[in-house]
Amino acid sequence: MKQAEKNRKSREHILTHAFAEFSEHGYAGSSINLICAHGSISKGLLYHYYPNKDALYIACIEKLFTEMTGWLSAEMNIQGVTVTEYFDVRLRFFQQHPAHRQLFYEVLMYPPMHLAEKIAACRAAFDKFNNAALLSVLEKERLTDRVSTEEAIRQFRTFVNFLGVYIREGSVQDVEKEAGELLHTLLYGLIAR
């Protein structure tokens, strides 16, 4: 086996076990020792590829958002998407990738504050995709005079952060279903006019 292939496999093996550990226990509850023990990885090998826990965590967050954004982009036509369709596609992703769901909600709700800038960079493409999906929904609607499109997107992001705390412990089905219902309420209200 060529060295480049060996290096790729080693990094992939480490990342797979780190992803599982961070998904299960979050950043605060995870350790290099547990990742090494569960993956039969020597600390020397891990530190050869990742200098510390922070670098390994950021690699996992980058993997999370890259894979999630790629999957959503492939499965969803943003032009003409509805709130229901958006959350149906997310639901399918999380059903097929349960560890991604756990890490996704973990990083939304309890991100290590000292890594905030790096996490924001990892999720930039995901945020751009979400903004485009929301814009597609809003293009079909007339906003109240008091809210600009930019303000609607800002409020949506605030709402999504709150939503993650509110429904974090639910099942995948319930979380995505409730997220869609609550977003529908945010956009269209409770009171018929």
Side-chain angles (χ1 to χ4, degrees):
M1 178 183 311
K2 293 185 178 178
Q3 189 61 40
E5 179 65 12
K6 189 174 180 182
N7 287 342
R8 186 193 65 74
K9 286 188 174 198
S10 293
R11 288 180 77 87
E12 188 175 292
H13 180 74
I14 293 166
L15 198 56
T16 296
H17 288 281
F19 198 97
E21 181 69 22
F22 288 127
S23 174
E24 182 74 22
H25 302 289
Y27 177 86
S30 297
S31 72
I32 295 294
N33 288 339
L34 288 173
I35 293 166
C36 289
H38 292 148
S40 300
I41 303 163
S42 75
K43 279 189 183 178
L45 181 66
L46 186 143
Y47 285 127
H48 175 73
Y49 294 106
Y50 301 97
N52 52 43
K53 179 179 171 181
D54 289 354
L56 188 53
Y57 183 77
I58 290 300
C60 291
I61 298 306
E62 184 175 349
K63 173 183 171 65
L64 163 71
F65 283 112
T66 298
E67 291 177 359
M68 187 172 177
T69 304
W71 200 91
L72 292 174
S73 297
E75 295 291 317
M76 183 186 313
N77 177 7
I78 286 187
Q79 300 309 312
V81 71
T82 67
V83 172
T84 301
E85 290 166 341
Y86 175 82
F87 280 99
D88 285 348
V89 172
R90 271 184 44 158
L91 172 61
R92 286 196 311 273
F93 176 79
F94 286 139
Q95 285 172 331
Q96 293 177 26
H97 304 88
H100 286 63
R101 174 202 180 250
Q102 290 174 264
L103 190 55
F104 178 74
Y105 284 111
E106 162 73 24
V107 78
L108 285 183
M109 300 307 95
Y110 306 108
M113 295 315 292
H114 69 287
L115 297 175
E117 285 183 30
K118 290 180 180 179
I119 291 169
C122 291
R123 67 178 280 175
F126 175 77
D127 289 340
K128 183 177 178 181
F129 179 84
N130 276 339
N131 288 350
L134 181 59
L135 277 172
S136 181
V137 170
L138 294 176
E139 284 173 352
K140 297 183 281 290
E141 306 294 341
R142 186 176 148 267
L143 293 175
T144 179
D145 295 337
R146 295 174 291 149
V147 178
S148 67
T149 302
E150 294 78 21
E151 179 62 15
I153 290 173
R154 187 195 66 73
Q155 287 185 25
F156 170 75
R157 290 191 68 178
T158 301
F159 172 78
V160 167
N161 289 337
F162 162 76
L163 181 65
V165 172
Y166 176 68
I167 58 180
R168 182 169 188 251
E169 300 304 321
S171 72
V172 174
Q173 180 72 37
D174 293 341
V175 167
E176 293 302 305
K177 182 178 183 294
E178 188 154 348
E181 290 170 356
L182 290 172
L183 181 56
H184 189 276
T185 300
L186 172 73
L187 292 173
Y188 304 112
L190 294 170
I191 300 171
R193 298 182 196 261

